[in-house]
Amino acid sequence: MTHDAPSDEENRHTVKIDAFCHIMPRPYYDRFFELDVAVHAANLRKRVSNIPSLVDMDVRFAQMDEFGDYRQIINIAAPPVEDLGSPAISKEMARIGNESMAALVRDHPDRFAGFMACVPMDDPDAAVAELDHATGELGAYGAQIYTHVNGRAMDDERFEAFYERMAASGGLLQVHPCRSSAWSDYPTEPRSRYEIWWTFGWEYDLSAFMARIVFSGVLERHPDLKLLIHHGGSMVPHFAGRVGPGWDQLGARTPEDQKEDVEGYPLTKRPIEYFKQMYVDTAMFGAANAVRCSIDFYGVDHVLFGSDSPYDPERGPGYIRSTIKNLREVGLTEAEQDTIFQGNVTRLLGLTAEA
C-alpha cells in the first residue's frame, strides 16, 4: 500500500533528527591539516577540503534550512583518528574533536541534537577514558567506531572492556566502514581498481564487522550494547536467506582441518537473531528499494533516519533530501515515518524532539 506524499510545507514541519551525519569542527579541521599523514588520510584530506559544509557552519546551516524542523547528531568525519599517526596523535585528535563538537551542540541546539564521541581505538584503555570523558563531562550520546583498527578485527579481546563500558553507558555505538584502495580486489593485484574498495568494499567491511561481533559473542555477553550500523545494515538485509538458514548450517561447508575457523563463542540464539538486535540508519543514497529492504528486515523500531550528509554530489543537502523522499514513498504510515524520523532516536537516547 502506498500513501500520498506530504507537501513541501508538511515536510518542513515534520520533526526530523538525522542520526548519522559527519562534521569537522574548525579546531579539528585545522589540526588535521597540520599533521604529516599517510597516503590514504592525505587523499581524504583532499576530499574534505572540497566539502565546505564539513567545516563552515554558515554553509551548513543554510543547507539545513531547506528541511524545516531538522536537526543533526554529528560525528567526526573520516579518516579514523587511528589513521592519523601514533596513539598519542589519536588521543589528541579525539579530544579536540569531542570538545569541538560539544561546543557546537551547546552553541547551536536548534541545529545539533547531540554528538557521538570520537574514541582512539588504537589504545583501548584511552578509548574507554575518552568515552567516559565525552559522555560524562561533554554530553555525548555514544560513540563512533570503525570496522577495523589498522587492519585489526574489532572482535579482538583487547576491545572487550570498551564494549562493556559502552553497553553500560546506554548510548549508541555508531559503526562506520573503513577501507582504502590498498585493500585489493584480488590477491594477485596490488590495489583495488575503479573504487571497488569503496562501492562494495565498505559494505563488505560493515557486514564482516557485524558477523564477527555476532559469532565472537560480543552481543551474547553484552545484550544491552546498542549498535547503529551505517548504510541500512549493509549487506545483511539483502542476504537474509544466507544470514538466516544459511548460517544455521555453520560448519557444514568447512573442512575438518579448518574447524577452528567456525568455532566461535557459544550462542544461545540463531545467528540471525543477533543481527536483528542491531539498529540501522537509512543512508542508502536515494535507493528507496534498499531502504524498504532494511525496514522489512530490521523492523520500523530498529531503523533511524540518517543521511550520511554531506557526502552527496551537492556536498550537503542531496542525501538528506533523497532520504526524506525515500521514507515518504516506500509505503510507510505517517506514524511509522515519524518513528523513523525521530521516535526511535529520541527513545534510545532520551532526547526531546524539540530543540
Side-chain angles (χ1 to χ4, degrees), residues 67-79:
F67 308 107
D69 195 344
Y70 167 83
R71 290 186 293 154
Q72 298 178 337
I73 294 176
I74 49 176
N75 61 40
I76 293 294

Side-chain angles (χ1 to χ4, degrees), residues 13-198:
H13 289 290
T14 300
V15 176
K16 299 171 288 291
I17 299 177
D18 197 331
F20 218 122
C21 295
H22 306 298
I23 204 164
M24 276 197 175
R26 176 62 68 179
Y28 185 95
Y29 182 89
D30 289 345
R31 180 65 177 126
F32 175 44
F33 275 78
E34 293 173 355
L35 297 172
D36 182 16
V37 297
V39 172
H40 175 56
N43 188 54
L44 284 173
R45 191 154 60 187
K46 178 182 176 182
R47 173 113 161 91
V48 302
S49 68
N50 290 319
I51 306 176
S53 62
L54 277 171
V55 64
D56 188 326
M57 293 304 103
D58 289 337
V59 173
R60 193 180 190 99
F61 296 161
Q63 293 173 348
M64 292 171 67
D65 285 343
E66 175 183 343
F67 308 107
D69 195 344
Y70 167 83
R71 290 186 293 154
Q72 298 178 337
I73 294 176
I74 49 176
N75 61 40
I76 293 294
V81 291
E82 299 89 4
D83 288 357
L84 301 181
S86 68
I89 293 293
S90 300
K91 289 169 63 176
E92 176 196 355
M93 294 301 289
R95 181 58 59 92
I96 293 171
N98 291 330
E99 292 186 345
S100 300
M101 287 191 291
L104 286 173
V105 172
R106 182 176 61 250
D107 294 344
H108 305 283
D110 58 328
R111 300 293 189 173
F112 302 125
F115 77 99
M116 294 295 178
C118 181
V119 286
M121 294 297 284
D122 52 355
D123 182 342
D125 290 339
V128 170
E130 190 61 30
L131 176 67
D132 288 347
H133 174 71
T135 56
E137 302 297 324
L138 302 178
Y141 283 111
Q144 177 186 220
I145 63 171
Y146 288 79
T147 45
H148 64 88
V149 175
N150 302 137
R152 184 187 293 267
M154 298 305 294
D155 62 344
D156 191 287
E157 63 181 12
R158 70 197 296 255
F159 302 123
E160 182 70 12
F162 176 81
Y163 292 131
E164 181 177 7
R165 187 65 59 87
M166 191 69 233
S169 77
L172 277 177
L173 182 58
Q174 297 177 329
V175 184
H176 194 285
C178 182
R179 183 178 284 221
S180 73
S181 60
W183 297 53
S184 65
D185 307 317
Y186 296 95
T188 59
E189 297 179 348
R191 292 187 307 279
S192 174
R193 301 182 66 185
Y194 312 116
E195 296 185 352
I196 292 170
W197 61 269
W198 180 85

Side-chain angles (χ1 to χ4, degrees), residues 184-301:
S184 65
D185 307 317
Y186 296 95
T188 59
E189 297 179 348
R191 292 187 307 279
S192 174
R193 301 182 66 185
Y194 312 116
E195 296 185 352
I196 292 170
W197 61 269
W198 180 85
T199 303
F200 297 127
W202 275 23
E203 303 314 315
Y204 176 81
D205 259 15
L206 278 169
S207 305
F209 168 91
M210 297 163 74
R212 293 289 289 259
I213 290 296
V214 167
F215 288 107
S216 66
V218 170
L219 290 178
E220 180 78 27
R221 295 188 296 275
H222 308 294
D224 294 330
L225 182 63
K226 300 178 206 171
L227 293 170
L228 177 58
I229 307 298
H230 209 11
H231 302 160
S234 202
M235 297 165 63
V236 170
H238 307 278
F239 293 96
R242 300 177 80 88
V243 174
W247 253 327
D248 287 342
Q249 304 171 67
L250 180 64
R253 296 163 287 268
T254 302
E256 287 299 320
D257 63 352
Q258 298 174 20
K259 285 297 185 182
E260 69 273 10
D261 293 344
V262 296
E263 292 172 350
Y265 190 87
L267 305 180
T268 58
K269 298 184 288 190
R270 295 178 66 203
I272 195 171
E273 297 305 318
Y274 297 94
F275 287 92
K276 289 191 172 189
Q277 285 179 219
M278 304 179 194
Y279 295 86
V280 302
D281 68 15
T282 56
M284 303 301 282
F285 304 172
N289 60 318
V291 172
R292 180 73 254 185
C293 183
S294 293
I295 294 169
D296 288 344
F297 181 82
Y298 290 101
V300 168
D301 289 342

